[in-house]
Amino acid sequence: MPQARQKRPWQDIAQEAQGHRDESIALVTPELPKLVDPLPVIAVGVPAQILTPEELKITETLPEHLLELLTSGSLTAAAVTAAFLRRAALAQQLTNCVTELLPREAFARANYLDDHFRKYKKPVGPLHGLPVSLKEQIGMKGLRLCAGYVAWWDNIAEEDALLLKILWRAGAVFHARTTEPQTMMHLETDSNLWGVTVNPYNTSLSPGGSSGGEGALIGLRGSCLGIGTDIGGSIRVPAAHSGIYGFKPTAFRIPTTGWSSIAPGADAIPSVIGALSTSVVGLSLFMRTVIASKPWLTEPALIPLSWSSVQIAEDQALRIGIMWHDGVVLPHPPITRALTMLVRMLKQLSNVEIVDFPAYLHDESWAILSSLYFTDGGTSDLVTIAASGEPLLPLTKFIIQENPCVRKLSLQQLGYWEEEREAYRIEYAKLWCQTGTRGDGGDGDEVEPREMMDVLLCPAAPGVAPRHNTSKYWGYSAQWNLLDYPAVVFPVTKADKKIDTIELGHKHEPMSELDTENWALCEHNPTA
């Protein structure tokens, strides 16, 4: 754990951090015009007004297609790197999503890759020349590794994280590092070092967190593949709020050696590394590349299991479960509408059977989660924050100080909650397995075997992108961290105030106090 040392006012350190970021962006050429206040609320349309047609074409190409162009020699790594650096610099002006750009390092790498291709007529690896952005939490040799804490500003990574070494050998070009929140335990992205990161589709709203810098950057196409982390929704919520794809693998699949964390090795609820991308193929490409390197040979805790790409035939029978709500908080109308749209489309497929899957004790799952997130009662986080004198941000206060389940656990108490975690996982697995039977055996009914549910579709969050400092309900995303299930987010549609109000804006009785609080955040509140 890095040593937290107080040397000067935290405001001076934050000013230095933001100055360093601005200096890195100033190295990007040709220089971008300085946007003037007030910045547009809808940022996604700005790149088309500023970037060249070639830059737009490159940065709006999906990663799998970019790789085809790069590995065929149709595009150079240098040209692709230049385009993504300029778009990333623009994304920073619009959403405050970057901690630093890496133009020197990126161009040195791109030029090497181009020289290699010219000489040997073949790519270095499966990611040859592809720009990849990184959450700042992932260590890069010689660069700062702050994880959102002002006190860690002088913490320098001694070597690249194992994951970066793997991606480097595969041919990746690292061009940007992105923002994260104080403590990493926010579903938004706000820190005293970097300030507030905002949503590219509406800058008055949050892009989610804690990988919100990645979400905003990729949402604005300043990157097509980015690396984030997830312990309660930190990849999936930003992906959902910025209209991109995000994947949280199960624990101990992707190496974490070399990242920054308050308590490395603490895995009561393990945090994982995953990817965000402009395409679902980008997610698969990331997983396949990393797993193919057999990282468990270097990080023995990882599961030695290859990555399997599942091919589904057009006539293959599929049983798809639907969880409309979690029994605690009813999602806002745009979320329910999106899920309804998806179910309608799936029902048109002759090989698909829809299965309603009711939530099981999701309120109890949050009690387990929030008891195990901070087993020291949050002391390590609070001490690190206090070391610099930086103030606690609202969502830090919420998740540590206002959370009734957060307390320092004795060895016996830790054992109790871990037993509860395992018991809950067993109960949930049983419910999933029961989707493979017809009848319960009661009253003489015969239990008839059938295929289990193949996949479960549910909301990624209780609403669309929220206003800042309001993301307090973790249930829809953190549930799958507790169960340690793989989870992917993909875009379906966008919120439409007129449609959502008319079709789904009906009055309902709140299921809980949390439901009432969540609906108070909705512009159209049918509980009022």
Side-chain angles (χ1 to χ4, degrees):
M1 177 173 157
Q3 294 298 313
R5 294 173 294 177
Q6 168 66 11
K7 291 185 177 180
R8 52 199 171 113
W10 72 266
Q11 296 92 334
D12 291 354
I13 298 174
Q15 185 176 10
E16 181 183 340
Q18 294 169 31
H20 171 78
R21 176 198 60 203
D22 295 345
E23 289 170 3
S24 74
I25 292 172
L27 297 174
V28 175
T29 58
E31 183 181 0
L32 288 163
K34 179 68 175 177
L35 302 181
V36 296
D37 290 330
L39 295 175
V41 173
I42 302 175
V44 289
V46 175
Q49 303 170 25
I50 293 177
L51 300 178
T52 68
E54 182 66 12
E55 289 168 339
L56 290 170
K57 183 178 180 180
I58 289 173
T59 53
E60 292 174 10
T61 300
L62 299 179
E64 60 268 31
H65 298 150
L66 271 178
L67 285 168
E68 292 174 359
L69 296 169
L70 285 160
T71 57
S72 67
S74 299
L75 278 177
T76 65
V80 173
T81 297
F84 274 98
L85 277 169
R86 289 200 82 221
R87 191 146 184 166
L90 182 58
Q92 164 58 26
Q93 287 197 54
L94 293 166
T95 62
N96 190 37
C97 58
V98 167
T99 66
E100 63 184 320
L101 294 183
L102 306 169
R104 290 194 184 99
E105 297 88 341
F107 277 121
R109 175 63 167 164
N111 290 333
Y112 167 82
L113 294 170
D114 288 337
D115 289 344
H116 180 280
F117 191 86
R118 281 190 290 267
K119 184 175 181 179
Y120 298 104
K121 307 302 180 187
K122 64 179 183 180
V124 164
L127 300 182
H128 182 95
L130 190 71
V132 175
S133 52
L134 311 164
K135 190 177 185 179
E136 193 266 2
Q137 183 186 8
I138 313 297
M140 292 190 73
K141 184 177 180 179
L143 300 182
R144 288 181 170 88
L145 191 55
C146 307
Y149 296 101
V150 175
W152 287 4
W153 173 243
D154 290 327
N155 181 34
I156 307 296
E158 295 181 358
E159 61 178 326
D160 287 334
L162 175 56
L163 174 62
L164 300 198
K165 294 177 182 179
I166 293 169
L167 298 177
W168 181 270
R169 289 193 293 267
V173 177
F174 304 130
H175 73 299
R177 304 181 78 204
T178 55
T179 53
E180 65 223 349
Q182 184 184 62
T183 74
M184 312 297 292
M185 294 294 287
H186 297 191
L187 287 183
E188 299 185 27
T189 303
D190 181 7
S191 75
N192 290 310
L193 270 176
W194 312 110
V196 180
T197 301
V198 299
N199 193 293
Y201 286 89
N202 184 335
T203 56
S204 68
L205 304 178
S206 171
S210 62
S211 306
E214 284 297 324
L217 179 66
I218 299 173
L220 273 168
R221 302 305 187 261
S223 177
C224 61
L225 178 62
I227 312 305
T229 63
D230 194 311
I231 195 172
S234 294
I235 287 173
R236 292 158 290 144
V237 171
H241 290 345
S242 291
I244 59 175
Y245 297 81
F247 180 60
K248 178 201 83 69
T250 50
F252 307 109
R253 290 291 275 154
I254 302 299
T256 59
T257 301
W259 71 353
S260 183
S261 172
I262 276 286
D267 58 2
I269 303 294
S271 182
V272 302
I273 292 178
L276 302 90
S277 182
T278 52
S279 79
V280 69
V281 176
L283 304 180
S284 180
L285 181 67
F286 167 80
M287 292 297 298
R288 187 168 64 248
T289 299
V290 177
I291 299 301
S293 74
K294 298 183 178 180
W296 50 84
L297 297 177
T298 306
E299 190 173 310
L302 299 178
I303 300 169
L305 181 67
S306 62
W307 179 254
S308 300
S309 296
V310 178
Q311 300 297 322
I312 300 175
E314 290 187 8
D315 60 348
Q316 181 177 338
L318 293 174
R319 303 190 75 231
I320 298 178
I322 306 295
M323 181 187 294
W324 294 98
H325 61 78
D326 68 356
V328 183
V329 167
L330 185 72
H332 290 173
I335 306 301
T336 301
R337 178 169 63 86
L339 197 52
T340 301
M341 289 173 57
L342 198 56
V343 169
R344 286 174 181 167
M345 289 186 285
L346 289 170
K347 284 183 174 179
Q348 295 176 13
L349 302 176
S350 60
N351 63 318
V352 171
E353 178 188 354
I354 298 298
V355 179
D356 281 328
F357 187 85
Y360 176 72
L361 300 179
H362 282 218
D363 53 345
E364 291 190 16
S365 74
W366 177 246
I368 299 169
L369 277 160
S370 53
S371 295
L372 290 174
Y373 274 145
F374 303 94
T375 56
D376 68 345
T379 299
S380 298
D381 293 271
L382 296 176
V383 166
T384 303
I385 291 169
S388 68
E390 65 170 307
L392 270 66
L393 296 176
L395 290 181
T396 300
K397 293 179 181 178
F398 160 74
I399 198 64
I400 297 179
Q401 295 183 330
E402 298 170 9
N403 185 340
C405 291
V406 172
R407 56 192 177 278
K408 186 174 182 178
L409 301 181
S410 66
L411 185 60
Q412 291 78 12
Q413 290 170 327
L414 176 60
Y416 168 81
W417 283 111
E418 288 183 335
E419 287 178 5
E420 289 291 298
R421 178 194 65 195
E422 294 310 301
Y424 186 81
R425 288 174 173 176
I426 290 170
E427 291 167 6
Y428 222 91
K430 180 180 179 181
L431 291 172
W432 192 296
C433 290
Q434 285 175 350
T435 67
T437 60
R438 186 180 282 112
D440 60 7
D443 297 327
D445 289 344
E446 183 178 349
V447 176
E448 179 184 346
R450 57 178 174 176
E451 291 298 319
M452 280 193 302
M453 183 172 70
D454 294 290
V455 67
L456 177 64
L457 298 178
C458 63
V464 293
R467 298 195 180 279
H468 299 291
N469 294 322
T470 64
S471 295
K472 297 183 178 181
Y473 188 70
W474 293 40
Y476 280 101
S477 54
Q479 173 73 17
W480 314 114
N481 297 87
L482 175 64
L483 295 174
D484 196 23
Y485 289 0
V488 66
V489 160
F490 54 91
V492 175
T493 186
K494 297 178 183 178
D496 185 317
K497 188 181 296 187
K498 293 182 180 179
I499 295 176
D500 294 326
T501 299
I502 293 172
E503 290 190 356
L504 299 166
H506 56 275
K507 188 177 179 68
H508 83 281
E509 293 297 325
M511 294 183 287
S512 66
E513 184 178 344
L514 292 171
D515 196 18
T516 300
E517 293 173 0
N518 179 62
W519 275 89
L521 304 175
C522 186
E523 288 189 15
H524 177 78
N525 181 0
T527 67

